[in-house]
Amino acid sequence: MKTREIRSAPKGPHRRARPPMALPRPERSAGRLRRALPGLGWIALLILGALLALLSGLGIVRGLRIVPFGPEPYLAPQPASSARTPRVGLVAGHLGHDSGAVCADGLTEVEVNTAIAREVARRLEDLGYSVDILEEFDERLNGYRAAALLSIHADSCEYINDEATGFKVARAQADAVPEQSDRLVACLISAYGQRTGLRFHANSITYDMTDYHAFREIDPRTPAAIIETGFLYLDRRILTEGRERVVEGIVEGLRCFLEGQ
């Protein structure tokens, strides 16, 4: 929290009063002490300084600091610092740009991605995290800084073969924080696989995933990954009707990384 700057009070008979939390001004107190104890001079000021130091050491004036007010200082309360809430960015794949994959009955990838991202965000916020849901080409991605960024997508809605089932997770090929991003990927693979029962489809990770545009836009210190939650053809049931397990897998994967599990 920023300490508000207090400007010098205007001259004249209507000089602004000190804030109600202000303590007596030390220079005025020193002046009264000199008048009350003639002959002591600067010795009185030294005694007063030693007394204030002693009180500070005992904690009586702990948390106070000198803040300028006009030509003289006054003591104002030191604002307490609060712990920073970890921030997580979730890119809902294709949101705000296009539909992504489109199924024969009209179901679109962006619908699936957005529903998953919103539920993951809700769960994380309930756990105390600060979450941003980002569009595919969101302006906020430029220089985005967070504890983690995950882009959520789904794979093809057309039948390819019986092997086109499962999920994929990848990080940027040219990653500035590879150890952190590798741990994020490992946490997601483990938790998502356990929760959904889907297999990790490592052999179909594409260049579009490892060179995903957002990886080049965010702050290079942000660990980031992209997940293809499943194939919209063979894995459609779990991505729509069984979405609870999909969400749990992502949430637990992110917690594994963020909480160092």
Side-chain angles (χ1 to χ4, degrees):
M1 180 184 296
K2 284 190 176 180
T3 304
R4 186 177 60 183
E5 180 182 356
I6 301 177
R7 302 183 181 277
S8 300
K11 298 179 180 179
H14 300 291
R15 180 171 179 172
R16 187 173 61 187
R18 287 196 304 272
M21 292 296 292
L23 299 180
R25 299 180 181 177
E27 290 187 4
R28 289 188 177 181
S29 298
R32 286 196 294 270
L33 183 59
R34 285 200 301 271
R35 290 192 296 273
L37 301 173
L40 291 181
W42 288 105
I43 296 176
L45 288 177
L46 291 174
I47 294 173
L48 177 61
L51 179 60
L52 288 174
L54 176 62
L55 293 175
S56 178
L58 293 174
I60 297 175
V61 292
R62 186 177 300 163
L64 299 178
R65 68 175 178 177
I66 300 296
V67 178
F69 181 80
E72 301 173 351
Y74 76 96
L75 293 174
Q78 174 75 20
S81 59
S82 57
R84 293 181 60 186
T85 302
R87 178 171 296 279
V88 179
L90 300 175
V91 178
H94 300 277
L95 181 62
H97 179 60
D98 58 30
S99 61
V102 181
C103 301
D105 64 351
L107 177 69
T108 63
E109 180 191 349
V110 70
E111 293 176 53
V112 175
N113 299 338
T114 303
I116 293 172
R118 285 175 177 166
E119 184 60 21
V120 169
R122 188 187 67 79
R123 298 283 189 89
L124 290 174
E125 287 171 346
D126 288 344
L127 292 169
Y129 292 98
S130 177
V131 185
D132 296 315
I133 296 181
L134 304 164
E135 295 184 349
E136 183 64 59
F137 292 97
D138 203 304
E139 291 182 355
R140 291 174 292 172
L141 284 170
N142 294 317
Y144 185 76
R145 184 80 170 101
L149 176 84
L150 179 65
S151 186
I152 299 172
H153 291 256
D155 220 315
S156 177
C157 204
E158 297 180 4
Y159 177 77
I160 300 172
N161 56 45
D162 290 341
E163 298 297 316
T165 174
F167 70 99
K168 295 172 278 189
V169 186
R171 66 160 171 86
Q173 187 173 10
D175 197 308
V177 285
E179 292 183 359
Q180 294 184 55
S181 295
D182 280 342
R183 190 164 62 83
L184 173 59
V185 168
C187 279
L188 287 165
I189 291 172
S190 176
Y192 193 81
Q194 289 178 17
R195 278 296 178 182
T196 62
L198 295 173
R199 68 184 181 91
F200 179 49
H201 209 276
N203 61 355
S204 65
I205 291 176
T206 65
Y207 179 75
D208 288 339
M209 294 182 70
T210 58
D211 192 46
Y212 181 57
H213 72 88
F215 294 155
R216 301 189 300 272
E217 298 166 11
I218 61 175
D219 187 301
R221 296 168 294 176
T222 299
I226 181 172
I227 184 170
E228 297 273 3
T229 53
F231 287 78
L232 283 168
Y233 189 86
L234 292 180
D235 302 322
R236 174 170 174 154
R237 171 169 280 185
I238 191 171
L239 295 178
T240 54
E241 299 173 22
R243 188 174 294 146
E244 179 80 8
R245 289 186 288 159
V246 170
V247 170
E248 287 176 357
I250 294 175
V251 170
E252 290 182 13
L254 288 170
R255 291 188 66 191
C256 162
F257 172 73
L258 297 166
E259 298 171 16
Q261 299 174 7

